[in-house]
Structure formats: C-alpha cells, structure tokens
Amino acid sequence: MAILLAGLGTYAMRAVFIVALAKQRFPPLALHLLEYVGPAVMGGLVVAMLSTPEGAVEIGLPELAGLASAAFVAAKTRNQVWSLVTGMTIYWVLRALVG
Amino acid sequence: MKPTHTAVRQGIRDTFPLFVPAIPFSFVFGLVVANSGIAPLLGWSSTPIMFGGAAQVTLLTLLGQGASVAAATTAALVVTARHLLYSVTLAPRFQNQPRWFRWVGPYLLIDQVFALTLINRDQDPKVFRAYYLASGFTFWLLWMMATGVGLFVGPALPVEWGLKFSAPVMFIGILAVSVSSWEKVLVAGISAGLTVLFAGLPNKMGLLVASLMAICVALILELRKR
C-alpha cells in the first residue's frame, strides 16, 4: 500500500513538469536558469551522499582528495571511467594511510 | 550505422560505470528489507513500482520501524523531491517528443539518467530519445537484478567496505564534465557548501534547500549579465 503510494508519488514528481509544460513556451531567462539546475543539484548531491541520516557530513582528507582528483581527471579527459578509477584509488590509498 | 543505433549503444555503454556504485547500494537495500520484517518479495516490488534507490530505502526503513503509511510515504517523497527539478529542467527537451515518451520517460528519470542528459546534449529528438531509453532501461534492468540479488547477499555482508564512496565520485565526475562556465562551477560550489550547512535538516531536505538557494544565486548572476 505504502509502496504503491510512494511509487505514484515518485512518478508524479518526475512527470509533472515534463507533461504539464509540453506545449508551454519557455522565456529565455527561464531556459538560461534551467541550465544551472543540473550543476546545483549535482553539487549538493555529492555532499548529501557523504552525510549520514543524522546530519553529520563525513568529508575528511581521503574524501576531499578523491573527489578533487576525480573532478580533475573528468574535466581533463572527459572520461568517466578514468575519473572513477582515479578518485577511488586515491581515496583508498589515503584512507589506508590516514586510517 | 544509423545515428539512433549509435545512440542506443552509447546509452548502454555509459550506464555500466554509473551502475558500479549502485551495487553496494543494492546490498544495503537487501539489508533494509531483511531488517524491516517486510516480506522480501513485497520489499523488492518497490523496485519496479518506485524505481529510485534512496526513496525505496527510506520508505522500507520507516515502515520497518513502524511508521504510519502517511509518514513513511511523505518522507520517501521528500527524499526524492529533487526529481521535481529534473522534471522542470528536461521539460523543454521533451517538448518536441511524442506524447508516449513524455509519459514513459519520467518513469526512468533517476539521478543517473538525468546526469547523463547533462553531458549528452544531442539536439536531435530521435537521438535523444534513443539514448535516454537505452540508458534508462539498462539501468532499470540492472537495478531489478541487483536488488533481487541484494535480498540474499545484503544481510550476509558487512556494510563498510568503502565502495559506497564511488557514488559521489561518479557524480562529481559528471558534474566536472557538464559545467561549461565559471558561473556554473560557482553555483555547484555554493550548492555543495550550503548542503554541508543544512546537513542537519531531516530527510535530506538540506539538499533541496541548498539547490534552490544556489539557483537563486544563478538568477542574480543571469540578471546581472543583462
């Protein structure tokens, strides 16, 4: 029952604007603004993924170095696999060293 | 080869690395189902019905703790409220699509699929559709299987083995590729900083508040350019 309700709810949230704004003309400012939604949510999501449900943000040196190196490799090579491998390797190595 | 065929192959290929972080998550899912006391098959049914990892885990955790249907559902929806923003963002790109795709597409609109649409800005509607459906359904199929396996493996495994970190790494990689101006880097940074600040808000509300505030900063930046 709750699963069905939540399923309907998640679908509705994803569909609402795509379906409702199907014929609507977007003003240029709105279109420009929408360009920023992706970066804003992704930036926040990275941090949210590293925080506990209690609200503690678990970002130490291994995490920071892993994220920074992954972002650097991704920006330079535009290759997600290399970015992932680099970020994880640096994270694991530093975590083993720092403890 | 037709461009749509290339797009399908590309969509499938791009999905696999994104799925790596979802594997440990599917074990967490299995553990949550086991601890909740909900019948495994019923718990698993949330995968095809909801198709959203964090929302599923939130819902089943709360139900297992004896929360009411209304409370558990509300919390699960708040956790995934960022999908409202994905829906707005993609609305212009769904305008020149057939009606059926506007109804089917949102079902597949998870973080990872949205992220892929950020780096693949193909303007041709057919190519966009082929790519979107290919990556969405690949992820869907993998998530069906992984959560099924997770039901058995999750309860038997120790949770902490560091693979969870691959999720933020993956998303920061996509972010780094998709930001095309210093303003976007700034907005992403502000959003990340504010999420740290608001991390104490319940149900990951902080992410939503921080994103909205960062978008307000973007509005100011855009208005100043005019």
Side-chain angles (χ1 to χ4, degrees), chain B:
Chain B
M1 204 160 25
K2 281 180 20 190
T4 45
H5 290 180
T6 321
V8 167
R9 289 168 62 131
Q10 189 68 36
I12 295 172
R13 199 162 345 123
D14 288 353
T15 305
F16 278 94
L18 277 176
F19 193 74
V20 172
I23 295 169
F25 199 78
S26 70
F27 297 156
V28 174
F29 171 81
L31 190 65
V32 164
V33 173
N35 291 342
S36 71
I38 295 166
L41 202 61
L42 184 63
W44 181 82
S45 76
S46 66
T47 295
I49 295 175
M50 293 170 67
F51 191 43
Q56 288 174 253
V57 166
T58 308
L59 182 78
L60 297 173
T61 308
L62 290 176
L63 288 177
Q65 290 168 353
S68 69
V69 169
T73 310
T74 313
L77 293 184
V78 171
V79 166
T80 52
R82 61 180 177 279
H83 290 91
L84 287 168
L85 294 174
Y86 299 166
S87 186
V88 185
T89 309
L90 289 181
R93 291 170 78 183
F94 271 85
Q95 284 189 330
N96 46 14
Q97 294 289 347
R99 180 195 287 266
W100 66 264
F101 185 49
R102 277 200 291 275
W103 289 98
V104 174
Y107 172 67
L108 300 168
L109 186 52
I110 52 174
D111 293 323
Q112 290 82 350
V113 173
F114 177 71
L116 288 178
T117 67
L118 290 179
I119 39 180
N120 291 282
R121 307 177 149 277
D122 208 304
Q123 291 308 305
D124 183 68
K126 270 194 185 134
V127 173
F128 171 71
R129 190 162 70 238
Y131 181 83
Y132 186 101
L133 289 173
S135 69
F137 275 114
T138 306
F139 209 103
W140 185 84
L141 202 67
L142 291 171
W143 185 237
M144 294 294 129
M145 296 191 286
T147 47
V149 174
L151 288 178
F152 303 100
V153 180
L157 269 184
V159 181
E160 191 47 61
W161 48 324
L163 210 59
K164 269 201 314 203
F165 186 64
S166 55
V169 168
M170 203 78 236
F171 279 101
I172 206 163
I174 290 175
L175 180 64
V177 171
S178 68
V179 286
S180 48
S181 66
W182 67 266
E183 286 101 336
K184 286 183 187 164
V185 176
L186 181 70
V187 167
I190 291 174
S191 179
L194 288 173
T195 307
V196 175
L197 206 62
F198 295 129
L201 293 182
N203 295 329
K204 305 245 174 204
M205 284 264 279
L207 167 61
L208 197 64
V209 176
S211 303
L212 290 174
M213 286 174 79
I215 294 165
C216 289
V217 174
L219 176 64
I220 296 168
L221 287 173
E222 277 295 317
L223 287 175
R224 281 191 51 171
K225 275 205 265 181
R226 270 135 223 271

Side-chain angles (χ1 to χ4, degrees), chain A residues 55-69:
Chain A
V57 181
E58 291 170 329
I59 302 183
L61 179 68
E63 283 85 1
L64 268 184
L67 290 177
S69 57

Side-chain angles (χ1 to χ4, degrees), chain A residues 30-96:
Chain A
L31 283 176
H32 270 113
L33 211 52
L34 289 183
E35 292 275 299
Y36 289 94
V37 177
V41 180
M42 291 291 141
L45 198 57
V46 169
V47 174
M49 284 172 163
L50 290 168
S51 40
T52 64
E54 291 78 36
V57 181
E58 291 170 329
I59 302 183
L61 179 68
E63 283 85 1
L64 268 184
L67 290 177
S69 57
F72 180 78
V73 172
K76 283 284 163 214
T77 65
R78 309 191 83 76
N79 184 325
Q80 297 299 330
V81 179
W82 278 119
S83 158
L84 180 68
V85 170
T86 313
M88 289 308 286
T89 310
I90 292 194
Y91 167 70
W92 273 325
V93 168
L94 281 179
R95 205 173 62 146

